[in-house]
Amino acid sequence: MQYEHILIRYGELALKKRNRGEFETQLVRNIRKNLKGSFPNVQVERTFGRLYLSLHGEPYEKVAERLQNIFGIHSFSPVRFVEEFELEVIQKAALEVMLDANPAPRTFKVITKRPNKQFPHRSQEMNRHVGGYVLRNMPDLKVDVHNPDVELIVEIRTNGTFISCRTIKGAGGLPTGSGGKAMLMLSGGIDSPVAGWKTMRRGVRIEGVHFHSYPFTSERAKQKVVDLTRILSKYSGGMKLHIVPFTEIQTEIRKHCPEHYTITIMRRFMMRIAEKLAEKNGALAIATGESLGQVASQTMESMYTINHVIDTPVIRPLVAMDKEEIIEIAHKIGTYETSILPFEDCCTVFVPKSPVTKPKVDVAERCEVPLDIEKLVEDAVNNVESLWIDPAEPEVEHDFF
């Protein structure tokens, strides 16, 4: 069946009061941005409390795939639209919608809304007229007003009648871009892409920061992070990735610092660099994939010591999640298979045998005395490679041999 419209419902967005209009405007902007290149005929119609997409012949299924990745959409429904106000036309359209439901429902109920008060039949009347017609033509179907398999929605407005019975769950959250910008520390493992997805889901636009230690880490490791960024960009319509040359810093740390403190010192440098990049790119926070207790650098003491070198707020969306919960989301958002590719990142080279799990700020500061911190950070920031990642570009196929 060719649907004419898609009805989009808000979730949390609907609870906003005076600034609700700003969130709605951002959502409309994100929808247009996501659909613009591939579906030029789609138009967004904004009414109170909801959005309608006019498809104008564009395929519903393909548009629906894109909508499921857009934050701020609680759910949506394909909609038949009839301009005529004749009862028989509405009944036939309602039956077509019910016959298209998959899986076929066993029970249903009709819910009529009548903003158009000039329409001659009241809502309860329309429930009986439409419901009776559907029952006569679908003999195996029954009415259940308390817990139906589907709700057949008939909305009669001044410009025509909108009919739907399928509800598809959306990505939820808040529209990306409505909550400011953060720099995401993107390692290439399982956790940081999930942290990025969860951060975007709260309305925050993100830019990735990856620390690359060539030749200790390979170009394939770098490409893996580009591919992960491309997957994440499907949820935002595009994303910037900053690749930081980190070889010199890691070499200096290894040369001058006690082995058991190298991870702590390395993370402190990463935070300093991420903060500089945040300042340059208008971001007000740093997001990480840290989960409390997962590894040595993610204990409470480590986080405190590492945070001590910056003033920028750090967002840790995974801090109270266990690994299984994180992996489940990684599968859901499509990053897991890329994250587990066996290409090392800078955090896996020069790993000490016994990293400190309860580092102290004063000890870390003493360890850093032989290092020219300001110059090392400045050189790294000045040589950053910044890429704009377009979700429409194909992912590179990796060769393991």
Side-chain angles (χ1 to χ4, degrees):
M1 178 187 295
Q2 177 59 47
Y3 290 97
E4 292 85 4
H5 294 266
I6 297 177
L7 166 63
I8 293 176
R9 302 178 188 85
Y10 310 145
E12 184 179 346
L13 191 57
L15 302 176
K16 303 295 179 187
K17 293 184 178 176
R18 282 180 292 183
N19 58 350
R20 173 174 165 167
E22 296 175 21
F23 287 89
E24 289 181 349
T25 300
Q26 185 63 51
L27 178 58
V28 170
R29 194 180 296 132
N30 292 349
I31 292 172
R32 286 178 173 150
K33 184 178 177 183
N34 270 275
L35 302 181
K36 184 180 177 183
S38 305
F39 309 102
N41 297 321
V42 174
Q43 292 182 341
V44 184
E45 299 174 14
R46 187 171 164 182
T47 64
F48 182 78
R50 63 187 63 185
L51 294 175
Y52 279 100
L53 300 190
S54 299
L55 294 175
H56 294 295
E58 300 286 6
Y60 159 74
E61 288 78 9
K62 297 292 183 184
V63 175
E65 285 179 17
R66 294 285 183 91
L67 292 181
Q68 284 184 296
N69 292 336
I70 298 176
F71 296 122
I73 297 176
H74 174 70
S75 65
F76 60 90
S77 298
V79 175
R80 278 295 325 268
F81 174 73
V82 291
E83 287 184 299
E84 299 87 349
F85 289 105
E86 285 81 10
L87 177 59
E88 187 177 339
V89 174
I90 295 173
Q91 288 173 321
K92 286 182 178 177
L95 178 61
E96 289 175 5
V97 168
M98 286 295 294
L99 289 171
D100 193 52
N102 186 19
R106 291 174 300 176
T107 60
F108 82 120
K109 77 172 181 180
V110 182
I111 300 174
T112 301
K113 299 176 182 178
R114 195 174 64 105
N116 178 6
K117 300 304 179 189
Q118 302 302 313
F119 187 74
H121 301 285
R122 291 180 174 274
S123 298
Q124 288 301 325
E125 262 184 271
M126 283 301 291
N127 290 345
R128 291 193 294 273
H129 286 313
V130 174
Y133 184 84
V134 171
L135 284 172
R136 287 194 294 278
N137 288 278
M138 297 179 70
D140 294 333
L141 196 63
K142 294 181 179 178
V143 173
D144 183 344
V145 295
H146 299 293
N147 189 27
D149 290 345
V150 299
E151 293 180 341
L152 178 58
I153 310 294
V154 179
E155 184 169 336
I156 302 164
R157 298 164 64 186
T158 54
N159 58 334
T161 302
F162 297 75
I163 304 167
S164 65
C165 76
R166 293 164 58 190
T167 299
I168 294 90
K169 190 175 180 183
L174 298 171
T176 301
S178 62
K181 186 196 288 185
M183 308 304 286
L184 169 69
M185 294 175 68
L186 189 59
S187 69
I190 295 172
D191 300 344
S192 55
V194 174
W197 181 83
K198 287 181 74 71
T199 303
M200 284 192 288
R201 195 167 184 267
R202 296 311 301 161
V204 179
R205 192 172 300 284
I206 59 170
E207 294 186 8
V209 180
H210 177 67
F211 296 89
H212 186 50
S213 285
Y214 185 81
F216 302 123
T217 58
S218 67
E219 287 299 308
R220 292 188 300 179
K222 176 181 167 182
Q223 183 60 47
K224 173 183 169 183
V225 174
V226 171
D227 291 341
L228 284 169
T229 305
R230 182 163 295 115
I231 296 171
L232 288 177
S233 71
K234 293 176 183 174
Y235 299 93
S236 63
M239 180 175 157
K240 192 181 280 187
L241 172 65
H242 306 278
I243 298 172
V244 181
F246 206 55
T247 309
E248 185 181 355
I249 291 175
Q250 279 195 290
T251 304
E252 288 296 300
I253 292 172
R254 190 186 186 198
K255 194 187 299 181
H256 296 289
C257 299
E259 184 186 21
H260 64 300
Y261 258 78
T262 54
I263 294 292
T264 303
I265 304 303
M266 183 183 73
R267 297 288 295 178
R268 283 161 63 96
F269 267 94
M270 288 178 172
M271 284 293 186
R272 291 180 177 110
I273 292 168
E275 183 176 63
K276 292 284 185 187
L277 290 174
E279 291 170 1
K280 285 183 70 174
N281 291 277
L284 298 178
I286 297 169
T288 77
E290 291 164 310
S291 171
L292 191 59
Q294 193 176 109
V295 293
S297 64
Q298 295 175 21
T299 63
M300 193 75 79
E301 293 83 355
S302 286
M303 291 182 190
Y304 178 81
T305 302
I306 291 165
N307 267 31
H308 205 263
V309 297
I310 61 170
D311 297 319
T312 303
V314 178
I315 299 172
R316 295 183 171 91
L318 313 186
V319 72
M321 297 178 68
D322 62 37
K323 197 70 177 181
E324 288 185 4
E325 293 171 318
I326 297 168
I327 288 174
E328 185 179 339
I329 296 176
H331 279 293
K332 175 183 167 185
I333 65 176
T335 56
Y336 180 78
E337 295 300 331
T338 303
S339 288
I340 62 172
L341 290 172
F343 304 139
E344 71 292 342
D345 61 46
C346 72
C347 295
T348 61
V349 297
F350 304 142
V351 176
K353 290 180 181 176
S354 302
V356 62
T357 56
K358 296 182 179 180
K360 305 290 185 186
V361 172
D362 57 338
V363 176
E365 289 174 347
R366 285 201 298 275
C367 292
E368 290 175 339
V369 168
L371 304 173
D372 190 343
I373 295 172
E374 189 173 338
K375 182 177 185 307
L376 288 169
V377 170
E378 187 179 343
D379 287 350
V381 171
N382 289 340
N383 288 289
V384 162
E385 178 187 6
S386 297
L387 309 172
W388 174 257
I389 306 297
D390 190 330
E393 293 178 1
E395 187 176 346
V396 170
E397 290 191 15
H398 295 274
D399 182 6
F400 294 98
F401 304 101

